[in-house]
């Protein structure tokens, strides 16, 4: 296959972007520069190159817009619930069951898992950390163990699968040019493997830390509790109580509807987003009356600020990496455009053995490297596009490769094993980010190895 100058420019900037991320720096400038020079090479003019930079960003935004919107409105709902105190009430049932450190580990993890699926991990960190972590310390679960549980269940399992909001699989599926429901189905055995390995090993390590904590004198242990204790009561209002009951039930009903009517992808996202906006409007009006006309704007501004903070780098990264996919390239350059990364993968296959083993470990390695940027989503356009390219060359399952890359990228970049990515959880639990990253490292890396092996078998 004949490679053009655009192919070599694309390859060079992929290497530059990966190297930049490996040095824990944002790679937006290399992505913008790469898009510019690719546009110049293909269109033949500087004006065409300038247009390419904007057109590719616009198309990337259009591809991701539904995901950005739903995450933003969920952020707005979280702000509204926090204002009336409903978030804390939603967690009170879990507090009652935390009677031992071992049970506290699992309750914190599972509550974080559910909260992350519906509210996103960042709001969930503040919610779980403020309410459950002090209670966990009261029953002598070490703060570092609580932080590990929050990381693995929230920023690991929930964020890497994202079954409800479908942000991560949506990005991966678009980049790999496969249906999102097919990718979600393919990722299930991989995340089961990843979850079983990481959670089991993390709990074994936590049991050792719990044994040390239980051996401490009572006065030392009591000094560690700086938050509210299990006996403290959360202020209640009828509206906050109604919201704390209605919101989880509403989302549970949404899940039932999605399963019953087999809604996936954009349809599922639309249902979740619509329900979220309605819940925000209803409880803002009930809580604040006529002031709700202005306050709901403030809540949604907070939500959209949160959403754009997450997705701004993702859009710019995607605008570059999507050019490697034939479908997106045609939208930018016309019907005769070629998928640059697909062509490169095809050429590499003639030089290197491209089989399920090499593809599996290469996808894992690249996913881990791009995850070093500290963003769980920025690398998904690359891993997804690579999955489609490798699958077309080696006749493998695109969805399985893309799911593997997605899991690795999000577990690394979403906030599990890099010190600068675990700061929110470390801060809320009052532990060292470096110590937390080290605690997560062995469970997560062993999980990567086993998950990669399973993915190779299933490709």
């Amino acid at each position: 296959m004949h490679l053009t100058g655009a192919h070599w420019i694309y390859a060079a900037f992929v290497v530059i972007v990966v190297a930049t991320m490996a040095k824990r720096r944002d790679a937006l400038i290399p992505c913008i520069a790469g898009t510019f020079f690719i546009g110049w090479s293909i269109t033949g003019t500087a004006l065409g190159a300038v247009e390419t930079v904007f057109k590719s960003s616009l198309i990337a935004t259009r591809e991701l817009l539904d995901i950005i919107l739903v995450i933003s409105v969920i952020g707005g709902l979280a702000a509204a619930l926090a204002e009336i105190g409903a978030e804390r009430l939603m967690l009170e049932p879990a507090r009652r069951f935390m009677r031992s450190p071992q049970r506290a580990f699992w309750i914190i993890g599972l509550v974080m898992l559910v909260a992350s699926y519906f509210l996103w991990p960042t709001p969930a960190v503040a919610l779980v950390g403020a309410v459950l972590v002090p209670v966990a310390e009261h029953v002598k679960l070490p703060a570092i163990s609580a932080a590990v549980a929050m990381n693995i269940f929230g920023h690991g399992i929930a964020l890497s699968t994202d079954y409800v909001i479908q942000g991560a699989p949506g990005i991966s599926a678009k980049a790999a040019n496969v249906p999102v429901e097919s990718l979600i189905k393919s990722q299930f055995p991989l995340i089961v493997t990843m979850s079983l390995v990481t959670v089991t090993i993390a709990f074994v390590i936590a049991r050792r830390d719990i044994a040390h904590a239980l051996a401490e004198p009572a006065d030392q242990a009591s000094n560690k509790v700086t938050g509210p204790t299990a006996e403290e009561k959360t202020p209640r209002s009828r509206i906050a109580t109604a919201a704390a009951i209605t919101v989880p039930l509403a989302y549970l009903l949404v899940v039932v509807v999605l399963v019953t009517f087999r809604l996936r992808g954009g349809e599922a996202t639309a249902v979740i987003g619509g329900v979220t906006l309605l819940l925000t409007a209803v409880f803002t009006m009930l809580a604040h009356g006529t002031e709700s006309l202005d306050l709901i704007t403030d809540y949604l501004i907070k939500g959209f600020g949160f959403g754009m903070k997450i997705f701004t780098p993702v859009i710019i990264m995607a605008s570059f990496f999507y050019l490697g996919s034939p479908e997106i390239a045609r939208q930018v350059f016309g019907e005769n455009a070629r998928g640059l990364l697909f062509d490169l993968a095809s050429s590499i296959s003639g030089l290197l053995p491209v089989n399920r083993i090499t593809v599996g470990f290469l996808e894992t390695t690249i996913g881990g490297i791009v995850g070093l940027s500290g963003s769980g989503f920025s690398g998904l356009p690359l891993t997804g596009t690579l999955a489609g390219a490798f699958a077309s060359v080696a006749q493998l399952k695109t969805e399985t490769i893309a799911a593997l890359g997605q899991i690795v990228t999000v577990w690394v970049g979403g906030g599990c094993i890099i010190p600068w990515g675990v700061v929110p959880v470390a801060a809320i639990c009052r532990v060292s980010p470096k110590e937390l990253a080290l605690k997560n490292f062995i469970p997560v890396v062993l999980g990567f190895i086993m998950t990669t092996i399973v993915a190779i078998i299933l490709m």
Side-chain angles (χ1 to χ4, degrees):
M1 176 178 292
H2 174 66
L3 297 181
T4 66
H7 287 90
W8 293 114
I9 293 171
Y10 187 87
F13 274 94
V14 167
V15 173
I16 292 172
V17 169
V18 172
T20 303
M21 287 181 161
K23 292 183 178 180
R24 307 192 300 275
R25 306 299 296 272
D26 288 337
L28 302 192
I29 290 178
C31 285
I32 294 170
T35 304
F36 176 82
F37 286 114
I38 290 170
W40 197 335
S41 177
I42 292 177
T43 64
T45 66
L47 181 60
V50 172
E51 291 178 351
T52 299
V53 171
F54 181 77
K55 285 176 64 178
S56 62
S57 299
L58 179 62
I59 291 169
T61 304
R62 188 183 303 152
E63 293 290 320
L64 300 172
L65 186 57
D66 57 342
I67 302 169
I68 296 172
L69 283 175
V70 75
I71 290 174
S72 298
V73 297
I74 286 174
L77 175 61
L81 294 177
E83 182 73 18
I84 63 177
E87 281 189 326
R88 296 178 65 89
L89 294 178
M90 289 166 63
L91 293 182
E92 279 199 352
R95 292 167 60 121
R96 298 193 185 102
F97 292 98
M98 295 172 63
R99 302 302 183 191
S100 70
Q102 293 84 359
R103 188 181 295 180
F105 178 91
W106 290 102
I107 289 177
I108 283 180
L110 293 174
V111 172
M112 183 71 185
L113 179 71
V114 175
S116 297
Y117 272 133
F118 291 100
L119 295 177
W120 209 248
T122 300
V125 165
L127 177 62
V128 176
V131 180
L132 295 187
V133 169
V135 184
E137 291 184 352
H138 184 74
V139 297
K140 283 203 163 184
L141 177 70
I144 188 67
S145 300
V148 168
M150 291 173 68
N151 264 163
I152 288 179
F153 282 90
H155 294 88
I157 299 172
L159 191 59
S160 67
T161 53
D162 205 5
Y163 287 122
V164 178
I165 301 173
Q166 299 184 1
I171 297 173
S172 295
K174 284 183 172 67
N177 196 25
V178 296
V180 66
E181 58 268 22
S182 179
L183 189 143
I184 289 175
K185 182 179 179 181
S186 296
Q187 77 182 13
F188 184 74
L190 304 186
I191 198 60
V192 168
T193 303
M194 186 72 188
S195 302
L196 288 176
V197 173
T198 54
V199 173
T200 300
I201 296 174
F203 183 63
V204 170
I205 295 174
R207 284 175 61 91
R208 181 191 62 191
D209 294 336
I210 290 169
H212 290 314
L214 292 175
E216 290 181 354
D219 59 339
Q220 290 185 19
S222 63
N223 290 335
K224 292 187 176 182
V225 181
T226 58
T229 66
E231 288 73 26
E232 290 182 8
K233 303 296 183 182
T234 303
R236 292 177 180 269
S237 73
R238 282 183 290 180
I239 295 174
T241 302
I245 296 172
T246 304
V247 171
L249 289 178
Y251 280 122
L252 181 60
L253 180 60
V254 167
V255 173
V256 172
V257 170
L258 297 183
V259 173
T260 302
F261 293 97
R262 298 181 180 274
L263 300 179
R264 297 291 185 271
E267 290 181 329
T269 301
V271 172
I272 296 168
V275 169
T276 303
L277 273 174
L278 289 171
L279 289 171
T280 305
V282 167
F283 284 107
T284 302
M285 288 190 295
L286 291 175
H288 303 289
T290 56
E291 294 182 4
S292 63
L293 297 173
D294 296 322
L295 287 176
I296 192 171
T297 302
D298 295 336
Y299 297 147
L300 291 176
I301 287 173
K302 290 179 181 178
F304 275 80
F306 170 68
M308 290 310 301
K309 181 179 180 180
I310 292 175
F311 278 96
T312 295
V314 176
I315 289 171
I316 302 302
M317 298 281 288
S319 69
F320 170 71
F321 285 115
Y322 279 176
L323 295 179
S325 170
E327 181 179 318
I328 303 298
R330 293 189 191 104
Q331 295 182 49
V332 179
F333 299 115
E335 290 300 320
N336 295 324
R338 297 158 62 179
L340 301 176
L341 191 57
F342 281 52
D343 292 347
L344 287 168
S346 179
S347 298
I348 291 173
S349 66
L351 302 175
L352 298 174
V354 179
N355 52 51
R356 63 181 63 215
I357 296 176
T358 57
V359 167
F361 283 102
L362 185 60
E363 185 81 358
T364 297
T365 301
I366 292 176
I369 291 173
V370 296
L372 293 175
S373 65
S375 171
F377 281 16
S378 293
L380 295 182
L382 172 58
T383 58
T385 309
L386 276 174
F390 286 135
S392 66
V393 171
Q395 301 301 307
L396 302 173
K397 294 180 181 178
T398 305
E399 295 90 341
T400 301
I401 304 172
L404 174 63
Q406 173 184 307
I407 289 170
V408 174
T409 303
V410 174
W411 277 76
V412 173
C416 281
I417 64 172
I418 51 175
W420 57 94
V422 302
V423 169
V425 174
I428 204 80
C429 294
R430 302 180 304 281
V431 298
S432 162
K434 182 178 179 180
E435 182 186 4
L436 177 55
L438 289 174
K439 282 285 184 182
N440 292 335
F441 185 81
I442 292 178
V444 172
V445 170
L446 290 178
F448 285 162
I449 294 172
M450 293 303 300
T451 304
T452 303
I453 293 172
V454 171
I456 290 171
I457 296 172
L458 296 176
M459 281 181 190

